[in-house]
Amino acid sequence: MGSFSGDSAYSGLRFDPVLAINRLFRSEVPMIFRWTQQLIPTLREVPGEAEIPSHQWMLRAGLIRKLGAGLYTFLPLGLRSLRKVERIVREEMDRAGALEVLMPALQPPEIWQQSGRYKAAAEVLFKVEDRAGREWLLGPTHEEVITTLVANEINSYRQLPRNFYQIQVKFRDEIRPRFGLMRAKEFIMKDAYSFDATDEGATISYQKMYEAYTRIFQRCGLKTIVVEADTGVMGGKFSHEFVVPADTGEDEVAYTDSGRYAANLEKATSRGPVEPTPSVTTGPAPEKFATPGVTTIEDLAAEPHRVPAHQQIKTLVYIADGKTILALLRGDDQLNEAKFAAAAGTTLFRPATAEECHAALGAHPGSLGAVGVKNVTVLADTLLREARGMVTGANEDGYHLRHVDAARDLAITGWHDLRTVRADESSVETGEPLRIRRAIEVGHVFKLGTKYSEAMNARFLDTDGQQKPCIMGCYGIGVTRTLQAVIEQNWDANGILWPIAVAPVEVEALAINAQHAPSVEAVERVAAELSAAGIDVLLDDRDERAGVKFKDADFVGAPIRLSVGERSLAKGEVEIKLRRTGAVEFVPVADAVNRIRALVAEQWASLKEVGAVREQ
RNA sequence: CGGGGCGUGGCUCAGCCUGGUAGAGCGCCAGCUUUGGGAGCUGGAUGUCGUGAGUUCAAAUCUCACCGCCCCGACCA
C-alpha cells in the first residue's frame, strides 16, 4: 500500500501537464470497466457475414452486432468509440463556430417536393405512412428542413452568417447495404449547413469547414486525402471529399504522387489520353462500308477492319428526363456518368434499351452513329473536337462509316468533358502521371449556392434593401463510417490498433493468473489509480487463462496493456506493452501509473502528426 | 433490380449428390486438474435443419414458391 501512496498526483489537486493534455481531448468521465460486468462478446472465429477486416474486427472484438442487413447495434465498447468520434466532431464544429441543433428524422414530403428532390432522390428515400395514410419520409439528409427553418427565422443580413449542424441518424434506402457500417440503411451522420449573405462569405464558411474536417480526421487518427469531387444530386458549385485510401473503398480517386492534384474519378480531368486522337482528314465525306457481325469497339479494332479504338467514335444513347440524348466519345474512352449528368443538366437518366436505340436511330447498338442525326441532343467529348478521319456506326446494322470528321459531319449540340480519365495520363496542372485507386469517402464539403434557399424561399434583406437568397454550403461526415474507417486503417493480424483518441479504453489491465491474489490486488490498485488519473481502463477480471485474456486484449485493441504476473511481481515489477508496436517494458509497480500516463500522453501527442495530407 | 453464392445449436462448418428421422470443433453449465499467448479429463444442456406448400411409407436431403443473408454492378456519408 505504501508503495503507491507517493503517487498522489492523480488526485488532480496539483497542476499536471500530462493530465492537462489529456483533458483537452477527454471524451468521458473516466472509470474502470470490468470485463465481467460488461458485454464484450469476442469471437474466436471469423464471422461469415463479414468480408473486410474492419467489419470482421468490429464483430470479433465485440463492438457491434447485426440486426439485419445494414442495421447494427452498438455494444458498450463500440459505443464508447463512437461517442469519442462524435465528441471530436462536436468540439471541432463548435470551435469553427457552428451551432448544434437537432432536427426531426421524420420529414413531410412537401418540402422535398418543394426542393425538387422528391423525385431526384426518390431512390434513397424511405417512405412511411401514418395511421391516416399520410406519407412521411425518414430523412436521408436535412437541407430541406434546415432551409425551411432559416426561411422562417432569418430575415436580415445582420443574422448572417450562420452555420447549423447536428449529429443524427440518417436513413437511406440503399440498394445494397455493405461492409457493416460502411454502407448502412441507417447510419449516424454529422451534417452542417452554412448560410451566408455574400459569395465571399460562403467561401469563408466553406474553408472553415474544410479546416475543421482536417482537424477532425487528424484527431481521430485517420489519414485522409482531400479530393475535388462532383456535386451529384446535391447540386451546387464545388466540393471536396475527404477520403481514406482503401482497396475496399467505393470511390475511385485520381491523384498525383506530389499530392498537387487529387480528384474523385467522377470529376478528374487530365491532359488527355496517351494515344493522340487522329486529326487528319482522310476523305471529303463519310463513306459507308460493310462490317457484318461487328458490334463492339473491339470487333472493329480486330481483323479484318483493324480500326484502332482511338480512331473510332463511340455513340451512346441515353434517356434523360424522357428525352433521347447521344453521348459521343473516343472509342477507347469510358463515359463518365457524373460528367454526363452535369452536361445533360439532369441526374435522371439511364442507358436506352436496344429497342429505343433502334427507334431513335434506325439501328441497334454496335452500329450506332451520329452522322446525319438531327433534332436530337448530341453531347460530344471535347477530345473529338479536332477528330478527323474517324470511324463510327452508320445507323444501319452491319455498316460503319469512315472518313468522319467530327466538326464537319456531326451536328453537335455541345462539347463537354465526358470521358473518364485513365491511369498514367498527365495531370493538367503539373503533367505528372495520374494514379488511380479506391478510397472510402468519410466526409464531404459542398458549396451549394442558392439552389435550396431559392426553392425554399430562404431570403434575407440585404444592406441595399433587396431580398436575396442565402448562399449555402453543406458539410457531411459519416460518423459511423469514420469509426469503421479508423479500424480499416488500423489493424494487424491480432486485432484492432486503435488510435488513442477513439479507442474504447486507453488501457487494458489484467492479472495473468487470476488465482494469484497479490497479482489481482496489484492490478486492481494500478487500474484504480489510472482511472483516478483520468485514464480509462478496461480491467479483464475474468478467471481465464492468460492466453485467453491476451488474445481478447489484442482484439479489443487498447493502445496500452498492463499485465501483472506472479513472476515479475515477485521482482516488484509489472509489464507494460504497446499494442501497436509490441514493445514491452517492465517497470516497478510503484512507477506503473506514471509510466502509463507518460505513454498515454505520448500517444495523444502523436495524433497531431497524422491527418489530412493535402492543404488547399 | 441484374448476375453469383449461402441459410443445419451462440460461432465456424459437415451431412444433401445417392431420402431412413441430425453431427463435429469451438462456446455454454457442473466437477476435478491446470495456469505467461485461445488448457486437459469427466459429465451435461442447447436444433420447429429459414418459411410454406408439394412428392414419398418416410424429407435437412427431391420439387416449387416465398423470406432472409453474403459477394459483384448501378447509388451514397
Side-chain angles (χ1 to χ4, degrees):
Chain A
M1 189 78 80
S3 59
F4 293 93
S5 61
D7 217 331
S8 58
Y10 65 80
S11 67
L13 294 175
R14 196 166 86 192
F15 176 73
D16 177 343
V18 170
L19 186 51
I21 289 172
N22 228 354
R23 281 198 176 133
L24 265 183
F25 301 103
R26 177 135 313 285
S27 296
E28 305 200 354
V29 178
M31 57 177 287
I32 299 182
F33 296 88
R34 287 175 185 279
W35 196 294
T36 56
Q37 317 286 307
Q38 280 291 326
L39 179 66
I40 311 174
T42 55
L43 298 174
R44 186 187 293 244
E45 295 181 75
V46 180
E49 74 189 59
E51 189 77 4
I52 67 174
S54 54
H55 187 195
Q56 291 174 356
W57 289 124
M58 293 196 86
L59 291 164
R60 294 185 71 188
L63 306 182
I64 59 169
R65 280 298 181 267
K66 183 175 73 179
L67 177 63
L71 301 172
Y72 290 86
T73 297
F74 277 86
L75 303 182
L77 236 41
L79 184 61
R80 283 185 61 79
S81 282
L82 180 66
R83 291 292 184 236
K84 288 187 178 184
V85 174
E86 290 181 356
R87 170 75 178 240
I88 290 168
V89 170
R90 277 206 174 84
E91 286 179 4
E92 293 301 335
M93 294 306 288
D94 291 346
R95 189 205 299 271
L99 308 172
E100 185 168 8
V101 295
L102 182 59
M103 294 180 259
L106 203 59
Q107 303 181 19
E110 287 77 15
I111 57 176
W112 284 75
Q113 275 149 0
Q114 202 178 338
S115 72
R117 287 207 294 184
Y118 188 78
K119 285 194 178 139
E123 290 188 344
V124 298
L125 284 177
F126 265 111
K127 297 173 183 175
V128 294
E129 249 184 35
D130 65 15
R131 65 180 80 194
R134 191 189 183 303
E135 182 181 283
W136 300 87
L137 306 177
L138 291 173
T141 175
H142 282 70
E143 281 79 10
E144 283 80 0
V145 179
I146 194 69
T147 312
T148 300
L149 179 81
V150 167
N152 291 329
E153 308 303 332
I154 289 186
N155 316 300
S156 161
Y157 75 94
R158 293 173 189 275
Q159 294 170 285
L160 298 175
R162 288 292 185 279
N163 187 343
F164 301 98
Y165 81 95
Q166 63 176 347
I167 294 178
Q168 192 212 28
V169 174
K170 305 293 186 199
F171 299 88
R172 293 198 184 162
D173 191 0
E174 291 291 345
I175 307 163
R176 180 154 86 91
R178 249 208 290 206
F179 299 143
L181 305 178
M182 284 300 189
R183 190 207 276 165
K185 282 184 187 308
E186 184 189 310
F187 60 97
I188 296 175
M189 178 160 121
K190 186 287 301 173
D191 46 326
Y193 308 91
S194 66
F195 296 83
D196 274 88
T198 64
D199 197 61
E200 302 76 63
T203 299
I204 291 169
S205 294
Y206 183 90
Q207 281 167 350
K208 279 187 182 172
M209 286 297 100
Y210 187 107
E211 285 158 21
Y213 276 33
T214 304
R215 295 178 60 93
I216 287 167
F217 294 123
Q218 183 170 344
R219 286 183 56 184
C220 288
L222 195 58
K223 295 185 190 76
T224 57
I225 59 176
V226 184
V227 302
E228 293 173 21
D230 182 67
T231 52
V233 232
M234 206 58 101
K237 296 188 168 167
F238 58 86
S239 81
H240 288 92
E241 282 174 4
F242 288 71
V243 304
V244 177
D247 293 337
T248 50
E250 310 181 285
D251 267 13
E252 283 193 292
V253 297
Y255 62 97
T256 61
D257 288 336
S258 70
R260 288 179 60 192
Y261 182 74
N264 190 298
L265 202 61
E266 294 182 339
K267 179 85 176 178
T269 56
S270 74
R271 292 185 184 172
V274 177
E275 191 82 55
T277 308
S279 59
V280 177
T281 299
T282 52
E287 172 188 300
K288 191 157 79 174
F289 65 106
T291 51
V294 170
T295 57
T296 64
I297 300 285
E298 292 71 35
D299 290 346
L300 198 54
E303 299 290 345
H305 305 292
R306 304 187 63 177
V307 180
H310 67 272
Q311 199 185 334
Q312 301 181 38
I313 297 176
K314 179 188 281 188
T315 306
L316 300 171
V317 185
Y318 276 80
I319 308 294
D321 281 340
K323 291 189 315 179
T324 302
I325 296 186
L326 301 190
L328 306 187
L329 293 158
R330 221 175 75 166
D332 55 339
D333 275 337
Q334 295 297 314
L335 179 70
N336 185 319
E337 292 203 341
K339 292 178 179 177
F340 176 78
T346 178
T347 57
L348 298 173
F349 61 88
R350 60 170 176 82
T353 63
E355 293 70 38
E356 286 167 333
C357 290
H358 192 268
L361 298 176
H364 291 97
S367 304
L368 301 176
V371 176
V373 170
K374 295 190 180 95
N375 304 320
V376 173
T377 303
V378 181
L379 304 177
D381 186 75
T382 47
L383 264 188
L384 297 177
R385 207 187 267 274
E386 303 299 326
R388 299 188 182 86
M390 304 293 282
V391 174
T392 188
N395 283 337
E396 183 177 342
D397 287 349
Y399 291 90
H400 280 76
L401 300 174
R402 59 182 155 224
H403 310 317
V404 175
D405 290 6
R408 181 190 69 191
D409 301 321
L410 303 172
I412 305 298
T413 312
W415 301 93
H416 300 271
D417 174 21
L418 295 175
R419 64 187 294 273
T420 304
V421 301
R422 283 172 273 165
D424 297 329
E425 292 179 3
S426 302
S427 104
V428 173
E429 296 165 34
T430 65
E432 288 174 275
L434 292 180
R435 316 279 181 214
I436 294 177
R437 67 165 303 177
R438 289 193 159 265
I440 300 161
E441 179 184 1
V442 288
H444 204 154
V445 292
F446 291 87
K447 187 173 174 193
L448 276 180
T450 57
K451 175 178 169 177
Y452 296 94
S453 51
E454 283 183 33
M456 315 303 289
N457 227 349
R459 294 172 198 283
F460 66 97
L461 198 60
D462 206 350
T463 48
D464 58 5
Q466 297 293 307
Q467 289 279 347
K468 295 176 186 170
C470 296
I471 300 169
M472 293 176 61
C474 76
Y475 318 95
I477 289 180
V479 177
T480 36
R481 175 182 285 184
T482 295
L483 181 66
Q484 191 172 332
V486 169
I487 299 173
E488 189 65 25
Q489 209 172 64
N490 295 280
W491 57 274
D492 67 12
N494 299 314
I496 302 172
L497 305 171
W498 284 112
I500 198 161
V502 292
V505 289
E506 292 162 301
V507 176
E508 174 156 345
L510 58 93
I512 283 163
N513 181 352
Q515 309 279 318
H516 183 243
S519 297
V520 173
E521 195 182 319
V523 77
E524 287 269 358
R525 190 171 311 147
V526 176
E529 293 192 33
L530 287 169
S531 171
I535 290 169
D536 39 37
V537 182
L538 172 61
L539 178 63
D540 191 344
D541 56 347
R542 291 175 299 175
D543 183 8
E544 284 286 356
R545 298 168 66 85
V548 173
K549 291 191 272 198
F550 288 152
K551 288 288 184 193
D552 279 345
D554 286 347
F555 277 10
V556 168
I560 296 165
R561 190 186 79 191
L562 168 75
S563 357
V564 181
E566 201 170 340
R567 266 193 337 244
S568 46
L569 192 62
K571 291 185 281 184
E573 289 183 333
V574 296
E575 178 196 298
I576 296 170
K577 182 170 182 180
L578 297 184
R579 174 66 182 85
R580 187 177 290 269
T581 63
V584 176
E585 57 183 279
F586 290 88
V587 301
V589 189
D591 297 342
V593 172
N594 276 335
R595 182 58 189 146
I596 290 173
R597 288 162 75 202
L599 289 167
V600 166
E602 231 172 68
Q603 297 220 357
W604 278 99
S606 72
L607 286 174
K608 292 174 188 148
E609 288 154 26
V610 300
V613 295
R614 184 163 181 268
E615 296 300 325
Q616 174 109 297

